[in-house]
Amino acid sequence: VFYSSAGTMLGLLGQYSYAAANLAIQALTDSIALQGQPATCIGWGHMSGAGSGMASDENLARHMIACGVDPIEMDDGPIYLEEALRLGVRQG
């Protein structure tokens, strides 16, 4: 299981290297899966309740909401991960 960011799809301004690194993780996930191995990459949005990171930047949080990416409650993260694994999602 790899963790990526929804920012990869949104092209977050000023975070090009961050987006590129997340895209590399997603490509690695695809490569592993194409070799027949289980692999999942979760592209998390901004986590609500986190003290730092994307959620602490109000401008970035508003941008993500405007792009249709609502905040994820920290307590809901494990539930979403469990469901993605149960469904066999490769990219989430």
Side-chain angles (χ1 to χ4, degrees):
V1 174
F2 297 98
Y3 290 164
S4 178
S5 169
T8 303
M9 298 177 290
L10 303 175
L12 299 176
L13 299 175
Q15 297 191 2
Y16 306 113
S17 58
Y18 177 75
N22 282 288
L23 187 58
I25 292 170
Q26 292 171 357
L28 176 62
T29 302
D30 284 338
S31 177
I32 292 168
L34 290 172
Q35 294 175 28
Q37 299 297 315
T40 299
C41 184
I42 305 296
W44 296 106
H46 57 292
M47 304 298 276
S48 176
S52 62
M54 288 193 303
S56 65
D57 184 331
E58 290 185 27
N59 290 328
L60 188 52
R62 281 195 297 274
H63 172 73
M64 292 195 64
I65 290 168
C67 290
V69 180
D70 291 332
I72 301 167
E73 293 293 329
M74 289 295 286
D75 291 342
D76 291 340
I79 296 166
Y80 294 143
L81 175 59
E82 182 178 34
E83 189 66 10
L85 294 173
R86 187 185 71 74
L87 293 171
V89 172
R90 182 187 307 172
Q91 301 274 343

